Every structure is written in structure tokens, then in C-alpha cells.
Amino acid sequence: MKRPFLAALLLLAGVVALAQNYPSEWRQFTSDGYFHDIESGTNKQSALDLARTNLAHQIQMKVKEVSQMDKQAVNGRSSILYRSSKSFSTDVDMSLVETKSFYNDEQSKYYVLVYIDKAASSIYYENEVKMLISKADNTLTIADNYISTGFKQKAKVELQKALQLFDSAGKPFFWLNVFGFNEYKIQNFLKQVNEKEQTIKQKLSDLEYGTTYCVVCEADLFGRRYVKLGNEVKGELAASGCNFVDNPTTADIVIRIQASARKYNDYQGAYFTYIDAAVTIDKTATGQRIFEDEISTKGTHTLSYDEAARDGYKQIKKDIVKHLKENIKL
């Protein structure tokens, strides 16, 4: 029973003896608020290297402890924290290490102190989390502004860039755990970060279908409606990835086509017509007209003016689709 007590006394005596050899102000760095190590030797750099190695071992032990806790609690904690523990379990963050040195003239020996202030390090990583949340908020604001003004593609680009921020979001949370940051605050931050990530993903999902289009086509075939033109134009654009809505007020882009057939002449058993079409493209959110033109195409057939007009509509459909694709960047 006496041996463990004696060993403890000897260890305490050694610590006290060591403490008498370095400045008294160093004692504050040996409290629970710090990871620390003190070494001595005749070569300052060697002592410093040894102290840093021992400090790294201390942090590695804490990292393994936190990693194991996260692994056991993965079902009850955010997956972002668990992912980070797997990624950083072998990574010792020594960027926050501070050093002090003292030369003892009587002993002709150097004493070196290396330490990490847990509270200061926690503030460092807390600020990283706050910065991440702030960047996510700013991106969401920018994306909403783009969406409200009809620039959905730009909104999508901003959101995709912001989503990459969350790839490394686990690191500050992991180190906050290592440095003993308040658990309630960690969970609150995790909740905020997860909510921002999910909001960005949801907005990207909503934008997945991209810009919506509405084709309003009025085509006349000598007093009769010719609905085939509008259907064929939509079919061509749909094949290029356009998504359509029926109501122009809910569309991002409204395409209007006003077309009519006119008889030209008949000659040696052939009938000739012209199809005249006015085409406009408007951006709903801004009211901006991004394209406006008038197109005319000749049609011919040996049976009748009606058939000649239908031939003309086939030709003008190609021209209309070509202009539309060029101006809506398909």
C-alpha cells in the first residue's frame, strides 16, 4: 500500500523540483486550460523538438479519445462531426502551438515550454464555424436575388460553390471537441450548419429543372388555326432540355410567335405561299426583351395553297428554332 503513495510523492517532488528551475509565470500553462510540455537540456533546439513531440503525443491521445466518442455516438450526433473525426483522427493540429524558453545560468541548461491554450484555440475554431455560417447566409441571399431577377443559372453556380464549403466543415467542430468547447454550443452550431447545408441543397434541387419556358404561338392558315407550329417548336426545344409551363406569368422566359400564311401565286401547276412570323423572347422577372425579329419563308406544293402553306410552316419552323436556340443559349 505504501509503494504507490511513495511513487506519487517522488513524482510530485520531481515536478516541484523542475518547477523551481523555470520562471514561476510558466506555472499557469501547466493547468487544465492548456496542453503543455516542459523539457530541459544543454541544446535548446533538441529540447524544443522533444517538447513538441511530447505535446503532439498528448494531442494524439485526446484526438483518439474524441474520435472514439464520436464513433460510438454516430447515431445520436451529426454525421458532419463523425465524418471529420475519421478524417482528422491522425492529424495533429500544431498551428496554434506557442513556445517559451529560459536559460538557467547556474545549471548551464535550457528550459523550454510548448503549449496550446485550449480557450484561445476554441475561439479560433469557433470563429471558423461562424465564418462558415456567415458565408452560407451571404450565398443564400445572393442566390435569392439572382432567382428573383430571373438569373437562375447564376444562382445555381453560387449555391454549388457554397456547397463545397461544407466538405471541410467538420474540422473546426472536431477540434472544438478536442479543446473541450462547450457541448451545448457545439450542438447549436452543428444544427445551424446542417440547416444551412440542407437549405442550399434544397435550393439546388429546386433549380435542377433550370429555367422554365412558355411558348405562346398563334399561327393562321388562311383563317384557320395552325397549332402544329407551336407544338413542333416546343418539341424541338424540349429535346434540347427546355422545361415548359403553360402559364406565361409563371415562366422565366416567354416565347411569342405570331405567324400567318399568305398566297403568293400559282404557276405551271405549282402553288406558292409565304409564311410571315414575328418572334419575341422576353425575360419575365425583368421585363427585358432579349430577342425580336420578323421572319418570312416561301412554301410550295403541287396540290393547293393549303399544302404550300404547310410546306412553308415546315421551313419557317426550322428558322424559328434556330433563332430561339441561339438566343436562349441552348
Side-chain angles (χ1 to χ4, degrees):
M1 293 293 291
K2 293 182 178 179
R3 288 182 179 178
F5 179 70
L6 181 60
L9 283 178
L10 291 174
L11 179 61
L12 178 61
V15 171
V16 172
L18 180 63
Q20 291 174 348
N21 294 319
Y22 59 73
S24 59
E25 59 265 25
W26 285 15
R27 293 175 186 170
Q28 64 175 306
F29 302 110
T30 64
S31 68
D32 289 340
Y34 300 84
F35 288 114
H36 77 281
D37 189 65
I38 299 174
E39 299 295 335
S40 63
T42 55
N43 185 292
K44 179 180 177 182
Q45 188 60 50
S46 296
L48 187 60
D49 291 342
L50 178 60
R52 283 174 171 161
T53 299
N54 290 338
L55 181 64
H57 287 161
Q58 289 182 45
I59 299 175
Q60 282 180 330
M61 292 300 294
K62 186 64 177 179
V63 163
K64 290 179 181 178
E65 177 187 333
V66 171
S67 298
Q68 187 62 32
M69 289 172 59
D70 288 342
K71 184 176 181 180
Q72 292 174 349
V74 65
N75 292 328
R77 298 171 69 93
S78 166
S79 61
I80 193 173
L81 187 59
Y82 176 59
R83 290 198 308 269
S84 69
S85 72
K86 293 176 68 178
S87 301
F88 298 107
S89 61
T90 59
D91 176 26
V92 177
D93 191 338
M94 301 293 285
S95 62
L96 300 171
V97 173
E98 300 286 345
T99 64
K100 293 183 181 293
S101 63
F102 170 74
Y103 184 72
N104 189 311
D105 291 319
E106 295 180 359
Q107 299 178 346
S108 299
K109 186 183 293 187
Y110 286 98
Y111 287 84
V112 295
L113 163 71
V114 293
Y115 66 92
I116 294 179
D117 186 331
K118 294 180 182 179
S121 299
S122 293
I123 292 173
Y124 174 84
Y125 285 111
E126 180 185 12
N127 287 336
E128 280 202 356
V129 174
K130 289 180 177 178
M131 186 178 300
L132 170 63
I133 294 171
S134 178
K135 286 181 178 179
D137 281 333
N138 289 340
T139 297
L140 287 168
T141 299
I142 292 170
D144 285 341
N145 288 336
Y146 276 141
I147 292 170
S148 67
T149 53
F151 296 102
K152 288 188 176 182
Q153 186 57 38
K154 288 186 177 181
K156 191 174 181 179
V157 170
E158 291 294 326
L159 292 169
Q160 287 172 335
K161 287 193 298 185
L163 201 57
Q164 296 175 7
L165 296 173
F166 297 92
D167 292 342
S168 58
K171 182 176 181 178
F173 283 109
F174 182 69
W175 288 107
L176 284 174
N177 271 266
V178 170
F179 294 125
F181 192 67
N182 181 276
E183 178 68 16
Y184 174 79
K185 290 184 177 180
I186 287 178
Q187 293 299 328
N188 186 45
F189 279 138
L190 277 170
K191 181 181 178 182
Q192 292 183 62
V193 170
N194 283 332
E195 287 177 350
K196 302 301 179 188
E197 184 179 16
Q198 293 308 311
T199 299
I200 289 174
K201 286 182 177 180
Q202 184 60 53
K203 284 188 179 292
L204 278 170
S205 178
D206 294 341
L207 291 169
E208 187 63 29
Y209 291 104
T211 304
T212 56
Y213 298 84
C214 179
V215 175
V216 180
C217 181
E218 295 181 8
D220 175 78
L221 182 65
F222 305 128
R224 303 185 305 277
R225 290 185 62 199
Y226 187 75
V227 297
K228 191 174 183 180
L229 177 63
N231 292 336
E232 289 185 343
V233 168
K234 288 176 66 174
E236 292 274 357
L237 296 179
S240 297
C242 286
N243 300 287
F244 295 97
V245 294
D246 295 327
N247 188 342
T249 61
T250 61
D252 298 307
I253 300 291
V254 178
I255 299 166
R256 299 184 187 276
I257 304 169
Q258 188 80 35
S260 61
R262 58 185 170 91
K263 296 177 181 179
Y264 180 59
N265 65 11
D266 62 282
Y267 179 73
Q268 295 183 346
Y271 297 87
F272 300 91
T273 63
Y274 273 98
I275 305 298
D276 303 312
V279 182
T280 61
I281 305 174
D282 296 306
K283 187 173 291 187
T284 305
T286 60
Q288 176 188 5
R289 176 152 292 181
I290 57 179
F291 177 78
E292 182 175 10
D293 201 2
E294 294 183 356
I295 307 168
S296 292
T297 302
K298 182 185 289 187
T300 182
H301 205 279
T302 58
L303 291 181
S304 65
Y305 279 116
D306 280 5
E307 293 302 321
R310 290 185 176 91
D311 178 65
Y313 270 120
K314 288 180 183 179
Q315 303 307 316
I316 205 167
K317 182 260 297 183
K318 298 176 183 177
D319 292 338
I320 291 173
V321 169
K322 179 177 180 290
H323 284 297
L324 293 178
K325 287 184 175 182
E326 288 174 351
N327 286 277
I328 58 179
K329 309 304 180 185
L330 293 178

